[in-house]
């Protein structure tokens, strides 16, 4: 069995929600660099359009921007209507779009709770539901379609940050939704798995570390200190796992939540190898 037969995503039709920046852009780049046709979506149309143009120019593979708010049915249905004017099948759906909010327990706002749950749980559920006919059109026993939900280590392990948040609970819900959808869609040849990333240097994480969303100028020192590998994740590390889950090589993997976190969840102790001063 050749590497290319196992891991090729050439010619696959891929959607990456939240593909305009951050982890979504990293994943979109991975698929485009390997010959997939990629559709990206985010709410901010000009940013989404500019990213798609840049990625298509970088890789020479088709990258289409379909701006939409995927936290509500109206936006999801509009997105699917536009997608259907381009394609009649979908090989890989990456439910990556997500939002975070933090605050003090005593005055954590209802609006933040709802916004995070709608963006991180409701959105992926209804996006998958509405795209199911396209996934099934691509799916067969020998070549299943794939759904990859982007969860978080915060859905597995309580965040070390002092603020309370609906983010971790929303990601734990997405991990369980992954298992539920996986069970329901397995026999229909649509395989659902999740990736739970650790720290990747993006707008979202920059805000969490006090950098205000300025990725270049954020001090990532604290993120490095908290991580057993002593660094944040690199684009190819998240893209590689997504490509694996989108390719033939993962056709017997169903309903898993796979961490990509430098050992933060499963090998979380970071020993001081310098020993006593
Ligand atoms: N970075 C990390 O360390 C980390 C760790 C664990 C998990 N994650 C997860 O990875 C995913 C990507 O995070 P990121 O760090 O790359 O965040 P990011 O830089 O904030 O990017 C989020 C993307 O999602 C889009 N988006 C947000 N809400 C949307 C909506 N309602 N409809 C459509 N698009 C929407 C954003 O664009 P607009 O704002 O223009 O809509 C943007 O493209 C998220 O699910 C996040 O929870 C990230």
């Amino acid at each position: 069995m050749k590497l290319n037969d196992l891991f090729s995503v050439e010619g696959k039709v891929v959607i990456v929600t939240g593909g305009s920046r951050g982890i979504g852009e990293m994943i979109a780049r991975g698929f485009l660099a390997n010959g997939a046709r990629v559709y990206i979506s985010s709410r901010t149309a000009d940013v989404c359009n500019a990213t798609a143009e840049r990625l298509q120019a970088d890789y020479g593979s088709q990258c289409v921007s379909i701006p939409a708010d995927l936290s509500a049915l109206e936006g999801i249905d509009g997105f699917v209507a536009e997608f259907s004017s381009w394609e009649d099948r979908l090989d890989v759906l990456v439910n990556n779009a997500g939002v975070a909010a933090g605050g003090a327990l005593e005055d954590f706002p209802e609006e933040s709770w709802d916004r995070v749950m709608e963006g991180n749980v409701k959105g992926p559920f209804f996006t998958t539901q509405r795209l199911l006919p396209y996934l099934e059109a691509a799916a067969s026993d020998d070549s299943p379609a794939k759904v990859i939900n982007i969860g978080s280590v915060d859905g597995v392990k309580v965040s070390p940050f002092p603020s309370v948040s609906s983010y971790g609970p929303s990601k734990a819900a997405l991990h369980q939704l992954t298992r539920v959808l996986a069970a329901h869609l397995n026999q229909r040849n649509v395989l659902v798995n999740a990736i739970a990333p650790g720290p990747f240097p993006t707008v979202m994480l920059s805000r969490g570390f006090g950098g205000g969303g300025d990725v270049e100028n954020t001090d990532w020192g604290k993120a490095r200190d908290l991580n057993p590998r002593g660094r944040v994740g690199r684009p190819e590390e998240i893209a590689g796992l997504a490509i694996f889950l989108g390719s033939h090589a993962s056709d017997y993997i169903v309903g898993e939540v796979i961490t990509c976190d430098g050992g933060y969840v499963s090998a979380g102790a970071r020993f001081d190898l310098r020993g006593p001063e």
Side-chain angles (χ1 to χ4, degrees):
M1 212 169 277
K2 293 288 204 189
L3 208 61
N4 209 35
D5 298 331
L6 285 169
F7 293 98
S8 175
V9 292
E10 179 131 33
K12 285 192 189 285
V13 178
V14 179
I15 289 174
V16 183
T17 72
S20 71
R21 64 172 192 239
I23 285 179
E25 182 180 346
M26 296 172 199
I27 291 173
R29 281 184 180 277
F31 279 102
L32 284 162
N34 290 286
R37 289 204 296 282
V38 177
Y39 294 78
I40 62 171
S41 186
S42 75
R43 292 165 299 183
T44 318
D46 54 343
V47 176
C48 199
N49 295 342
T51 302
E53 269 176 39
R54 203 171 55 243
L55 297 192
Q56 181 155 308
D58 284 354
Y59 300 104
S61 267
Q62 180 182 299
C63 185
V64 177
S65 164
I66 307 180
D69 180 352
L70 299 175
S71 67
L73 271 181
E74 194 186 346
I76 294 169
D77 285 339
F79 172 83
V80 175
E82 174 69 16
F83 174 74
S84 70
S85 71
W86 290 85
E87 303 283 353
D88 54 14
R89 68 167 227 273
L90 174 62
D91 296 292
V92 182
L93 168 61
V94 185
N95 284 314
N96 162 80
V99 285
L105 175 58
E106 283 73 11
D107 47 37
F108 190 80
E110 184 185 17
E111 178 278 326
S112 299
W113 182 271
D114 292 344
R115 186 164 47 83
V116 169
M117 288 296 171
E118 283 167 14
N120 296 359
V121 190
K122 180 180 162 188
F125 175 79
F126 284 105
T127 302
T128 308
Q129 182 202 60
R130 296 303 214 252
L131 286 166
L132 204 45
Y134 300 88
L135 289 161
E136 286 200 280
S140 67
D141 189 37
D142 283 341
S143 182
K146 305 292 179 69
V147 177
I148 305 167
N149 292 325
I150 305 301
S152 171
V153 291
D154 285 359
V156 183
K157 188 171 164 176
V158 176
S159 158
F161 287 105
S163 64
V164 76
S165 175
S166 44
Y167 181 75
S170 77
K171 291 299 186 175
L174 182 60
H175 297 167
Q176 185 62 3
L177 178 62
T178 299
R179 300 179 191 106
V180 170
L181 288 175
H184 282 271
L185 297 178
N186 198 2
Q187 272 99 53
R188 292 161 73 171
N189 295 318
V190 178
L191 309 188
V192 187
N193 290 289
I195 296 174
F200 281 78
T202 66
V203 168
M204 181 187 284
L205 196 71
S206 160
R207 287 180 183 144
F209 279 94
D214 183 349
V215 177
E216 297 305 317
N217 296 308
T218 299
D219 176 5
W220 298 108
K222 184 96 192 324
R224 293 191 195 105
D225 288 348
L226 284 168
N227 193 271
R229 292 229 21 96
R231 64 169 174 83
V232 293
R234 295 172 182 149
E236 63 270 24
E237 292 164 343
I238 200 86
L241 181 51
I243 287 170
F244 166 65
L245 288 175
S247 71
H248 184 46
S250 64
D251 285 356
Y252 206 50
I253 296 179
V254 183
E256 293 293 338
V257 178
I258 303 174
T259 51
C260 180
D261 67 347
Y264 173 77
V265 165
S266 298
R270 181 138 191 253
F271 306 106
D272 187 352
L273 297 176
R274 292 169 307 179
E277 294 287 314

